[in-house]
Amino acid sequence: MKFRSVFDIIGPVMIGPSSSHTAGAARIGRVARNLFNREPKWAHISFYGSFAQTYKGHGTDVAIVGGLLDFDTFDERIKESLEIARKKKMKITFREEEAVPEHPNTAKITVGDDDGELELVGISIGGGKIEIIELNGFKLRLSGHNPAILVVHDDRFGAIASVSNILAKHQINIGQMEVSRKEKGKMALMTIEVDHNLEDLVIDEIAALPNITQVARIVD
């Protein structure tokens, strides 16, 4: 069940004509910004399916850039996001892809600056709800509607248990957890959705564990 209440079906308070093409797109952009953990200097945005066909008329382009600027779905500044990005000298490129996606409302965002880059694929599933289905080549499922941590780690025995033990020590309940790896024994990714935002102390403890290479946080 994707929708928990009638308000999930109607969609969130938002700027724009469509919960799926506008609010969902803004949330995909904002998750990319959140995971990158800073404002990017550039962004390459590819639209697939319905997004590619209608993104200009439905405001998907301004919404997704608004998300990259850390604007929420109801922020009036979304309407001017392209101009705001230009004034900030954030280079934005859009591409309409012909490949047929698994979901009609699909966007791939690559953001970066002089210190690094990040790529994710997100889908807008209706009512302003989204799922992030790929991050830097890792397959995952992240709703973006709950606090979460993403833990990049070596695929070693005990890595998952050590992270879970720290969360248990701080009485943090795990709502959903998935693990993805590209190759056995190499790099892996834990995606953990929790019930409330995590304090810096918890993030620091996880980052200090053996076999952990990176921890990213998504706040509610």
Side-chain angles (χ1 to χ4, degrees), residues 142-169:
L142 178 67
S143 72
H145 288 265
N146 299 304
I149 55 171
L150 284 79
V151 183
V152 180
H153 61 99
D154 296 327
D155 185 26
R156 298 288 187 272
F157 174 82
I160 297 172
S162 63
V163 173
S164 299
N165 287 339
I166 286 179
L167 295 177
K169 182 182 76 172

Side-chain angles (χ1 to χ4, degrees), residues 101-197:
E102 293 184 9
H103 192 281
N105 300 329
T106 299
K108 180 170 71 175
I109 306 175
T110 307
V111 296
D113 59 16
D114 296 338
D115 296 320
E117 62 181 66
L118 174 145
E119 179 184 275
L120 64 75
V121 178
I123 60 175
S124 179
I125 60 177
K129 299 177 76 67
I130 68 168
E131 288 182 0
I132 305 303
I133 60 173
E134 188 174 316
L135 176 65
N136 290 341
F138 287 102
K139 302 295 183 183
L140 72 157
R141 188 180 66 187
L142 178 67
S143 72
H145 288 265
N146 299 304
I149 55 171
L150 284 79
V151 183
V152 180
H153 61 99
D154 296 327
D155 185 26
R156 298 288 187 272
F157 174 82
I160 297 172
S162 63
V163 173
S164 299
N165 287 339
I166 286 179
L167 295 177
K169 182 182 76 172
H170 290 278
Q171 298 183 337
I172 297 166
N173 190 45
I174 296 174
Q176 177 174 296
M177 181 176 186
E178 289 192 34
V179 180
S180 172
R181 61 185 182 183
K182 299 178 184 178
E183 185 179 348
K184 183 179 178 181
K186 301 294 185 179
M187 199 70 72
L189 174 69
M190 278 181 258
T191 306
I192 307 172
E193 294 194 3
V194 295
D195 288 348
H196 53 81
N197 293 325

